[in-house]
Each structure stands twice: as structure tokens, then as C-alpha cells.
Amino acid sequence: MRSLLADPEERVFVKDRDSRFLLVSAGWLASFAPGCSLEEVIGKTDFDIFSRPHAVAKLEDEQRVLVTGQPMLAKVERETFPDRADAWVSTSKLPLLDEHGKIIGTWGISHDITAQIDAEKALAASYEQLRSRERQHRMLFEHNPQPMLVYERATLQIVAVNKSLVGS
């Protein structure tokens, strides 16, 4: 556990029933509260660190885990901050149990997936650009006043004709 908490890449947190931080990892501090010490974060809530809408959503997730005892697994979340760029994470939250099995809080881990989300957005934009160009080329083909046809090179089978060829 010490290794996990010391790892600068791992974003681990432990909270009490009131969603106050009891413990966070070095990676969590570096990602979500840069420049703060562990002592400065202990006892605070998400409302002290994240934007209000995001803190409300986090609190709702934690309350659901506390009430149902069911974990929330791999939820994709946009981490929003009042003073810096947003980040995307995949977060799992689980009930924190005492030695008698009673839920006394929540704990979880977040993995930064910002690069993955950015790549997915870029890919979606590329696909949309490709579809737009395909629509433009189709319009030029279909509405060209010159008769046109497209054929399969290997078989010489005609696969498309434009309106001018059909009308002639």
C-alpha cells in the first residue's frame, strides 16, 4: 500500500462518510492539488479542490456507494478545476469497510485518460471531415453534367453511374 500511495502515477483517495479526504496518494496530490501537501488536503472535500458542478457529481457518486454498498467502476469523468485545464479520468469508487463490515467511507482510484479522450476526439473529427469530403465528391459526381461511371478495375463491373449517364 505504501508503494501505491507513493507512486506519482497512481491517484488513490480515501474519504470518510462526509466525503472528507482521509488519505490521498502522491499521484493524486500532483494531479488534483498541485503544490498542496497531504496535510493541507486531509479534512477537505471535493468542493475545496474541484469546480462546484464537478464536486456535486462526485458527492452524488459517493453517496450512492455509501447507501447501496455497490462500487462504481471505471466511470469516465471530466475533472474540472477553477484555475487550470480540465482532465479526463476513469474513476472507480468502492465502499470503505471497518473490521465489522460496516461502511465507514469510500475509497478509489482514478486513471488519467486525457490522451485517450483527445485521440478519440481527433479521430472523430477526422472521420467527420472524411464523411464531409465524401459527400462533396458524391455531389460533384452525381450532379456533373457530363455522363460518368465508376467501375471495378479488376472485373470491369460498373458500380456507379451519375444522373447525366442515366438520362442520356
Side-chain angles (χ1 to χ4, degrees), residues 28-102:
W28 191 97
L29 279 173
S31 296
F32 302 130
C36 291
S37 68
L38 178 61
E39 293 75 23
E40 291 173 292
V41 172
I42 300 303
K44 291 191 176 178
T45 69
D46 289 319
F47 289 93
D48 299 310
I49 296 165
F50 300 99
S51 68
R52 181 164 181 75
H54 190 65
V56 167
K58 286 176 164 288
L59 181 62
E60 288 171 356
D61 290 339
E62 288 158 10
Q63 291 302 310
R64 193 174 311 105
V65 171
L66 289 169
V67 170
T68 67
Q70 298 298 310
M72 178 195 83
L73 301 175
K75 179 180 179 183
V76 174
E77 302 178 289
R78 183 178 185 170
E79 300 285 2
T80 57
F81 306 92
D83 58 349
R84 64 181 188 274
D86 296 351
W88 289 91
V89 295
S90 173
T91 301
S92 293
K93 294 181 181 184
L94 300 98
L96 179 65
L97 307 174
D98 67 11
E99 62 274 2
H100 305 292
K102 180 182 175 194

Side-chain angles (χ1 to χ4, degrees), residues 108-159:
I109 189 166
S110 295
H111 297 282
D112 188 337
I113 59 169
T114 304
Q116 176 186 337
I117 295 294
D118 290 346
E120 289 172 2
K121 286 179 182 178
L123 185 60
S126 293
Y127 281 139
E128 182 52 41
Q129 187 177 40
L130 184 62
R131 284 190 292 272
S132 174
R133 287 184 177 157
E134 194 274 334
R135 285 189 299 269
Q136 288 174 334
H137 289 130
R138 182 165 296 284
M139 288 274 294
L140 289 171
F141 175 78
E142 290 175 356
H143 298 289
N144 192 317
Q146 296 296 316
M148 298 178 72
L149 59 92
V150 177
Y151 62 93
E152 184 68 43
R153 182 179 261 181
T155 64
L156 299 179
Q157 180 179 1
I158 297 173
V159 294

